[in-house]
Amino acid sequence: MEPLRRIAIVGVGLIGGSLALALRRAGLVAEVVGIGRTQQNLDVALARGIVDRTGTDPALVAGCELVLLATPGAVLAPTAAAIAPHLDAGAIVTDAGSVKASVVRDCTAALGGRARFVGAHPIAGTENSGAAAADADLFRAERCVLTPVAGTDARALARVRALWEAVGMDVVEMAPEAHDELLALTSHVPHLLAFALTGAALAYRRTGTDAPDPFVFAGPSFRDATRVAASSPEMWRDILLGNATALRTALGAVRERVDELDDAVAAGDGDRIVALVGAASAAKRGAREAVARPEGTAVAPAEAPDTATVAPAAGPLRGSISVPGDKSIAHRALLFAALAEGTTVIRGVGHGEDNRSTMQVLRALGVGVVREGGEVRVTGRGFAGLRAPEGVLDCGNSGTTMRLLTGILAAAPFDATLDGDASLRKRPMRRVVEPLARMGALVDTTDGRPPVTVRGRPLRPAEILLNVASAQVKTALVLAGLQTSGRTVVEEPAASRDHTERLLPAFGATIERPRANVVAVTGPQVLHACTVDVPGDPSAAAFWLVAASIVPGSRVVIRGASVNPTRNGAVDVLRAMGARISERPVRSLGDEPVADLEVEATSLRATVVAGDAMLRAIDEFPVLAVAAAAAEGTTRFADGAELRVKESDRIAAMAIGLRALGIAVEESEDGMIVHGGRLGGGTVESHADHRIAMAFVVAALVAGSPITIRGADAIAVSDPGFLLTLAALRRGGG
Ligand code: S3P
């Protein structure tokens, strides 16, 4: 973010004060003016070095590039009106309020075109308030919602986004109404319940002096459930009144659940209680709240915690979104950083479970991995410094984690066992174990599959001809080769994705690429820490490319997606189907080309996906199959035998699912034929595969009636915010 010369914070409390502290610490602001109602709080802010100048006069905003309104909700619009005459032309005004629709409308009107307003809600805080509670770390790793509307200035929006990202927040955009509906359930109702429960405890205490004091005897559940009851009453008056409609709707839903439980208790119906508590408990234990968010996503209340029912789109998808950082690059960046000397900073590592698996495994190997806001910091130990793990290394669902680590650990001075979930346990490991054996590696598999035990030992270089094009295998061999003395050459039958080749040089390694399908490294080499910016994942972008292509009237911009030629097969396939996809200013993050992709709806026609296109779109097959189902004509997929050994047998999974929705499909060993037609509603299985689940969410958008996806919790493997992004696009606020 470009540093700011002078900003004003109106209301130097917990949020305003914390932002000033965080910006100052990062050296991102030269001067902070604090404006408030009481000089007493402003004096605390001055004494703590939060602000440079203070006062109660609204005219103090003159000369400020940016003004943050961090007052209680009810005074936001009057404050905007009071400062309006004193603002510099072009100044940006933003807020931090917990209610957005009314605030965006009223503040925009109050500013009367004198400034550029951007609605924002940093979702962070504690029960404490005032400048004394300000904390520079308050926003780290938390979410901030920006709520642009039709007239919002794009540059002001980008600056406000950069501001919150700079203090460590994960920024998402949403329509103001969508924000209010969501926050009603996730914040406003919980506060209201905390006030109500505390009120009931107070009433109990008043019942008589003999009764034990509930505040003294409270257990952890009472303490957890009432912690936020210590919040500021004025602030909560404004939030509850400011979001009354959405709050009361959400409260109604909670009340229904309370009544349901109450009825079951009254009726002595133990089975019913087990069912109700069981569903809640499973949802919490699975830590899958990200996908169990029905509000605004047009996903009906979940029948089971891992099931989602997605309604057809009622209108076009519109908005500008970003997708999680590319998973392939993130895994590599984390692993290379672990093997490097020094601390590597990686920006843009997505929050999916696969990335988490890699981070967890690295921690178990003694590597320092810390996520702070938008960055992951990895303190590497060098090739020789990894520590023998104490237990089994759990790679979860991630094949990339397991295969790349097998190559790394093959040369380690200890043994290690790698395991994963039921899906990973079905995936072939011989493809990596056999070529590694040619370098002297000793790896035991379980009938060719995980769990695998790697018996680390010194390796020798080798020249290896692979019989399957696989970037995972190629990378495992390169990482093993870097630990030998001599030249290792790996040749594939066709060129697979080349992220390893592009990223290793950033860590100071030398890697030769004599031909597109050949790599060579000469070991031993030492890696050095660096900074990596992970571009948006083209595989995640593909869902939106298809969704926006097939939902009539849609127009979606995907910001900052990788357009690495070894990965953008889906764009080529969709263009061959007639899709309207344009790429805007291509920039580079490291050696990876990046673009903003704009896609507009159109009618798709059938195509053939085979050979190189299939290889470059291998992970996008599930959603391309949905595109084929929605297209006119018969699409043929071939040369995709690999699809049978991904997170699920993706050919079978898509064929079964599409047939259940009324589409005629003929399966073959390495692909399938899809007869485009009218998608109907129904129930499909994800087969515990994130991409299958997301593909059917996209299918639901153009289906005749809702589609229920069993195992939708798998979505969290790569894009936990997927349904939230969909909700934003449905409302045109993406
Ligand atoms: C990946 C390579 C591909 C791909 C997988 C990720 C990688 O697998 O399907 O999702 O990051 O190297 P293969 O290497 O098995 O082709």
Side-chain angles (χ1 to χ4, degrees):
M1 177 191 134
E2 216 180 288
L4 292 151
R5 216 172 0 87
R6 186 192 294 165
I7 65 168
I9 309 258
V10 190
V12 194
L14 176 67
I15 299 292
S18 299
L19 178 67
L21 280 180
L23 289 175
R24 274 181 179 290
R25 187 176 58 185
L28 290 172
V29 64
E31 187 185 2
V32 183
V33 181
I35 304 174
R37 284 171 302 174
T38 65
Q39 195 56 45
Q40 201 187 358
N41 181 57
L42 290 172
D43 287 344
V44 174
L46 260 181
R48 292 196 58 201
I50 298 173
V51 292
D52 301 288
R53 287 196 283 136
T54 61
T56 50
D57 184 355
L60 283 170
V61 297
C64 290
E65 281 162 84
L66 183 138
V67 179
L68 172 73
L69 304 178
T71 66
V75 282
L76 281 171
T79 306
I83 62 167
H86 310 289
L87 288 164
D88 285 13
I92 298 172
V93 178
T94 183
D95 77 313
S98 306
V99 175
K100 294 270 67 89
S102 55
V103 166
V104 171
R105 187 190 57 227
D106 297 347
C107 285
T108 308
L111 291 168
R114 295 190 62 97
R116 299 177 290 166
F117 183 75
V118 180
H121 178 199
I123 307 178
T126 68
E127 64 279 23
N128 303 319
S129 45
D135 170 6
D137 290 318
L138 185 71
F139 305 111
R140 284 192 176 188
E142 302 289 354
R143 272 223 160 111
C144 178
V145 181
L146 302 185
T147 55
V149 289
T152 304
D153 181 273
R155 292 201 12 226
L157 178 64
R159 291 214 78 183
V160 174
R161 168 180 275 275
L163 177 84
W164 289 111
E165 282 177 348
V167 298
M169 298 202 93
D170 191 2
V171 177
V172 294
E173 287 172 29
M174 224 181 266
E177 297 74 19
H179 166 277
D180 289 355
E181 216 177 280
L182 182 68
L183 269 288
L185 186 75
T186 58
S187 168
H188 307 167
V189 167
H191 276 82
L192 187 145
L193 294 178
F195 304 140
L197 181 54
T198 309
L202 275 174
Y204 179 85
R205 191 159 67 174
R206 283 194 212 101
T207 55
T209 42
D210 293 348
D213 184 338
F215 292 95
V216 174
F217 286 87
S221 64
F222 181 87
R223 284 200 295 274
D224 285 353
T226 57
R227 182 179 54 80
V228 292
S231 302
S232 149
E234 290 75 24
M235 181 171 124
W236 278 94
R237 171 197 59 203
D238 295 351
I239 293 172
L240 300 183
L241 292 178
N243 196 24
T245 309
L247 167 70
R248 299 200 62 223
T249 307
L251 196 56
V254 174
R255 200 176 274 133
E256 268 176 43
R257 301 297 184 287
V258 171
D259 287 346
E260 228 173 359
L261 277 160
D262 185 28
D263 289 349
V265 172
D269 186 347
D271 291 347
R272 184 85 194 118
I273 295 174
V274 168
L276 294 171
V277 177
S281 155
K284 287 300 286 184
R285 262 185 292 110
R288 296 279 164 81
E289 286 158 281
V291 288
R293 276 188 194 125
E295 284 60 32
T297 59
V299 177
E303 299 87 313
D306 61 350
T307 296
T309 297
V310 182
L317 303 180
R318 299 242 165 172
S320 164
I321 56 168
S322 47
V323 287
D326 184 67
K327 207 152 63 73
S328 284
I329 299 174
H331 284 306
R332 285 164 172 74
L334 292 164
L335 293 167
F336 300 172
L339 300 171
E341 286 171 5
T343 298
T344 293
V345 175
I346 312 169
R347 288 189 279 261
V349 176
H351 290 269
E353 288 172 7
D354 272 3
N355 289 339
R356 199 171 309 141
S357 294
T358 295
M359 292 193 260
Q360 276 302 99
V361 168
L362 289 177
R363 288 186 186 114
L365 290 166
V367 178
V369 184
V370 182
R371 193 189 264 280
E372 283 181 356
E375 293 178 354
V376 176
R377 289 173 178 270
V378 181
T379 304
R381 301 179 64 97
F383 276 109
L386 296 180
R387 194 181 62 200
E390 277 177 11
V392 168
L393 297 170
D394 182 3
C395 302
N397 190 249
S398 177
T400 309
T401 309
M402 181 170 286
R403 294 191 177 125
L404 269 52
L405 269 164
T406 304
I408 292 170
L409 297 177
F414 51 79
D415 296 353
T417 298
L418 300 158
D419 202 356
D421 66 9
S423 148
L424 189 52
R425 279 186 168 201
K426 288 191 201 140
R427 301 188 65 185
M429 288 299 291
R430 284 206 179 101
R431 56 181 55 202
V432 60
V433 170
E434 283 171 3
L436 276 172
R438 303 212 13 228
M439 302 174 77
L442 204 60
V443 183
D444 305 330
T445 68
T446 313
D447 208 11
R449 297 173 206 285
V452 298
T453 296
V454 187
R455 307 200 182 278
R457 62 198 46 233
L459 302 182
R460 53 179 181 268
E463 293 200 2
I464 295 163
L465 188 61
L466 297 180
N467 50 20
V468 50
S470 164
Q472 293 176 350
V473 176
K474 168 177 69 179
T475 307
L477 296 170
V478 164
L479 292 170
L482 288 171
Q483 302 178 73
T484 66
S485 294
R487 191 162 186 264
T488 292
V489 183
V490 184
E491 178 168 347
E492 299 179 280
S496 64
R497 62 189 65 186
D498 64 357
H499 304 303
T500 298
E501 295 88 315
R502 288 173 189 263
L503 187 59
L504 267 180
F507 286 87
T510 305
I511 180 159
E512 301 159 57
R513 305 179 66 177
R515 293 197 301 282
N517 62 330
V518 181
V519 290
V521 284
T522 302
Q525 293 196 32
V526 177
L527 304 186
H528 298 284
C530 62
T531 300
V532 182
D533 277 297
V534 181
D537 195 330
S539 302
F543 295 102
W544 306 120
L545 293 179
V546 173
S549 292
I550 62 179
V551 175
S554 299
R555 189 178 151 272
V556 171
V557 174
I558 303 157
R559 294 187 306 270
S562 158
V563 285
N564 179 320
T566 61
R567 290 288 297 284
N568 63 358
V571 172
D572 294 344
V573 168
L574 286 168
R575 281 191 176 137
M577 297 177 85
R580 290 160 61 192
I581 301 171
S582 54
E583 290 179 21
R584 269 182 303 190
V586 179
R587 56 186 191 282
S588 260
L589 282 182
D591 200 20
E592 293 279 347
V594 180
D596 291 342
L597 302 174
E598 179 173 335
V599 53
E600 285 179 86
T602 187
S603 33
L604 298 182
R605 52 181 185 271
T607 188
V608 175
V609 185
D612 172 62
M614 174 58 95
L615 179 61
R616 292 186 306 113
I618 194 84
D619 290 341
E620 291 69 68
F621 163 79
V623 78
L624 290 176
V626 170
E632 200 178 314
T634 299
T635 295
R636 190 168 69 84
F637 294 92
D639 302 326
E642 276 295 299
L643 292 166
R644 300 241 177 231
V645 289
K646 293 292 178 189
E647 284 86 326
S648 67
D649 175 343
R650 286 184 171 157
I651 297 176
M654 287 311 296
I656 296 167
L658 287 175
R659 278 191 207 116
L661 303 174
I663 298 292
V665 178
E666 290 140 47
E667 241 184 270
S668 64
E669 227 3 80
D670 67 350
M672 65 190 199
I673 290 174
V674 179
H675 300 273
R678 181 119 191 77
L679 274 154
T683 298
V684 294
E685 297 285 341
S686 76
H687 299 267
D689 184 332
H690 54 132
R691 300 203 198 283
I692 302 292
M694 290 188 275
F696 283 118
V697 170
V698 172
L701 299 175
V702 292
S705 54
I707 294 180
T708 295
I709 301 141
R710 286 214 279 250
D713 55 341
I715 291 174
V717 162
S718 58
D719 188 357
F722 181 76
L723 292 177
L724 206 56
T725 305
L726 174 60
L729 289 176
R730 281 188 195 258
R731 288 159 196 267

